[in-house]
Amino acid sequence: MKKLALHWKIIIGLILGIVWAILSSQLGWSEFTINWIAPFGTIFINLLKLIAVPLVLVSIISGVANIGDPSSLGRMGGKTLGAYLLTTLFAVGLGLVLVNVIKPGKLVDEQSRIDNRISYEVWAAAEGYQIKDGINYLQEPEFFERAQRITDLSKGELKDASVSEKMKTAEQTREATPLQPLVDMVPENFFYSLSDNGLMLQIIFFGLFFGVCLLFIPNEKSHPVTVFMDSVMEVFLKMVDLVMQAAPFFVFALLAGVVSKMAGDDIGKVYEIFKGLSWYSLTVFLGLMLMIFIIYPLILKLFVRKIPYLGFFKAMSPAQTLAFSTSSSAATLPVTMECVEENLGVDKKITSFVLPIGATVNMDGTCLYQAVAVVFLAQLHMIDLTLGQQLTIVLTATLASIGSAAVPSAGLVMLIIVLESVGLNPAWIAIIFPVDRILDMFRTVVNVTGDATVSTIIANGEGMLRYNEKEDPSETFGVES
C-alpha cells in the first residue's frame, strides 16, 4: 500500500465509502455509519478549513508583497479577473446549449409535467406573476380537481423548513442595493471575518490591502513582515502534508456518511431519487466533464504549449480527487496550491495571489449547474423560456457566482436568485435537493481545475512558469511512491 500513489488511495477510499454506505443501508446499519463513521469526514473538512482560511490570508499578503512592483500588481489582477470571467461565461453558455439540446425536463412523464404546470400556475397567481406563455390549465374544467389537489401540495412544499431558510437568505440578497456587494467586501471587524466562512471576500480584501501597503513602505520595514508571512505559509503547508497522509480514511468516512444520510435504511429511496432526476444529472455531468476534459485543456493548450494533456491531469489529480470528496474549493485550496506550485511549476507569487481569489470568485461548475437547473425546472413545469430570459440567466448566474461561499451546496442559495430573475418559483430548488450533493462534488472539481488553468496561464504570461514532468504527484505530499 505504501507504493500506491496518493490519488489512487483517495479514489479507493471514495469507492469503499460508497460501497460501505450501500451495504449498511441494506443491512440496517445506517445509524451506526452516521453516528460512528461520518463524524471523521466532518473532522477532515474542519481540519482543511482550519488551514485554508489563515492560509488564504498569509498567501495573499505574501504574494502581493513579493511582487515588488505595484504596477505589475494591477496588471496581474486585471488578467486574473478577466480570465476568470471568460471561463465563467464559457461554462454558463455550455450549460444552456446542453440543456436546450438534451431537454432533460421534457423527458419526464407528461402527466407529472401537467401536475407541475398546474402547480406553477397556482404559485404565479398567488404571487402576482404573469403566466409566461399565455396557456392557463387552471381555466380548463377537466383539470379543476387536479388543480385543487396541487394547490394543497404547493402550500405544503412552501412550508419546508430547509427551503424557507434558503429563500429568506436569497430575499435579503435580492433586496440589497446595487452597491451592497461592494459594501460587504470591506470588513467592519476583520477578526469577525476570519471566524465566518461566508466572508472570504473580506479576508481577501484585507490581505490585498495589507500586501499593497507593504509595497509602499521602505524595504527595511516591510522585509521582516514578508519573511514572517513566508514562514507562516510554510507551516500551514506542512499541516497540509500531515493531514493528507490520512486523507484516504477521511474520504472513506466522508462518502459513507453522505450516502447513508440520503438512503437511511432503505437503499430503494436512493434508486428512486436518482431514477427521477437521472436525465438532469446526466446533462449537468456531461457539461462538467466537457469543461474538465475538453474546454480547460483547449484553453491551456492555446496559451501554454509546454504542459501536455495527461501531464496536467497527473499534476492536479490529488487536488481534483480531494475536491470531489469534500465539495469545497476552499477546503481544497491548500492542496490545490501545493499541486500547482510543485507539480505544474507555477511560481508562489502567482499561486498565492491567483488561487485564493479563484476559490472565491471562480465558480464555473456552479454557474453551469445553475444554467442547466433553471432551464430543466422550467421544462419540468412545461414552461419555454425565451432567448432573452436565458440571457438573463447567463448574467445573473455569472454575477451571483462572485463571492459565493466556497463550501458544499452554497450554489443552492444563489440558484434561488437566478430562478427569481426569470420569474420562476424559488421553492423548486427542493426538487433537485436529492442529487445536489453528488453533483456538487463534480462542480467543485470543475472549479478547482479552472483555478489551476487560469493560474498556469497567468504564470506563463508573467514568465513565472517552470514546468517539469515529475515521477509522481504524490511525492508532493510526503507519501512514498
Side-chain angles (χ1 to χ4, degrees), residues 144-170:
F144 181 78
E145 290 185 6
R146 186 186 289 191
Q148 182 63 50
R149 176 172 57 83
I150 295 299
T151 301
D152 295 334
L153 286 175
S154 297
K155 290 179 180 177
E157 288 172 1
L158 290 173
K159 292 178 182 177
D160 182 86
S162 60
V163 176
S164 299
E165 183 180 349
K166 293 183 183 300
M167 288 178 66
K168 187 183 298 183
T169 304

Side-chain angles (χ1 to χ4, degrees), residues 209-254:
F209 191 29
F210 193 99
V212 168
C213 289
L214 283 175
L215 293 175
F216 287 98
I217 64 175
N219 186 61
E220 62 270 15
K221 301 284 187 181
S222 63
H223 182 68
V225 180
T226 305
V227 171
F228 173 74
M229 290 297 174
D230 289 340
S231 300
V232 172
M233 187 162 61
E234 290 300 322
V235 173
F236 283 118
L237 292 176
K238 177 52 65 177
M239 293 170 71
V240 176
D241 286 342
L242 297 177
V243 172
M244 285 300 295
Q245 291 182 34
F249 167 73
F250 282 133
V251 166
F252 162 80
L254 192 66

Side-chain angles (χ1 to χ4, degrees), residues 14-31:
L14 288 172
I15 296 171
L16 290 178
I18 295 171
V19 170
W20 172 269
I22 293 174
L23 288 176
S24 66
S25 294
Q26 292 177 336
L27 297 173
W29 297 348
S30 288
E31 187 175 352

Side-chain angles (χ1 to χ4, degrees), residues 300 307-316 344 449 452-453 456 467:
L300 194 64
I307 300 179
Y309 182 87
L310 292 179
F312 175 75
F313 288 104
K314 181 181 179 182
M316 290 305 302
L344 292 177
T449 306
T453 301
T456 306
Y467 174 76

Side-chain angles (χ1 to χ4, degrees), residues 51-118:
I51 301 168
V53 174
L55 179 60
V56 166
L57 176 62
V58 297
S59 63
I60 286 180
I61 293 174
S62 177
V64 173
N66 285 323
I67 287 174
D69 180 14
S71 63
S72 63
L73 173 64
R75 183 183 67 251
M76 191 187 303
K79 286 181 179 179
T80 300
L81 294 177
Y84 283 142
L85 179 61
L86 285 176
T87 59
T88 299
L89 291 174
F90 264 120
V92 179
L94 177 62
L96 287 177
V97 169
L98 289 174
V99 76
N100 281 288
V101 171
I102 299 174
K103 296 180 170 58
K106 294 184 178 181
L107 298 174
V108 177
D109 175 71
E110 185 177 359
Q111 292 303 312
S112 298
R113 293 180 65 217
I114 291 174
D115 281 350
N116 293 339
R117 171 69 190 211
I118 293 172

Side-chain angles (χ1 to χ4, degrees), residues 4 39 53 109 157 193 234 255 263 286 348 379 473:
L4 201 60
V53 174
D109 175 71
E157 288 172 1
S193 305
E234 290 300 322
L255 266 292
L286 177 60
K348 286 186 178 181
Q379 293 171 351

Side-chain angles (χ1 to χ4, degrees), residues 91-92 94-95 284 287-288 291 363-373:
V92 179
L94 177 62
V284 176
L288 298 177
M291 287 297 297
M363 298 290 169
D364 294 346
T366 302
C367 286
L368 186 148
Y369 130 82
Q370 287 175 345
V372 174

Side-chain angles (χ1 to χ4, degrees), residues 10 14 40-49 52 243-244 246-248 250-256 258 318-336 405-410 436-445 447-448:
I10 293 177
L14 288 172
F40 290 101
T42 305
I43 290 171
F44 182 46
I45 292 181
N46 288 346
L47 280 171
L48 290 173
K49 287 183 178 178
V243 172
M244 285 300 295
F250 282 133
V251 166
F252 162 80
L254 192 66
L255 266 292
V258 168
Q320 288 173 324
T321 50
L322 187 62
F324 179 81
S325 61
T326 62
S327 297
S328 172
S329 50
T332 311
L333 180 59
V335 181
T336 306
V407 296
S409 297
D436 182 74
R437 187 65 172 84
I438 300 298
L439 292 176
D440 194 27
M441 296 174 174
F442 292 103
R443 298 200 300 263
T444 309
V445 176
N447 295 340
V448 167

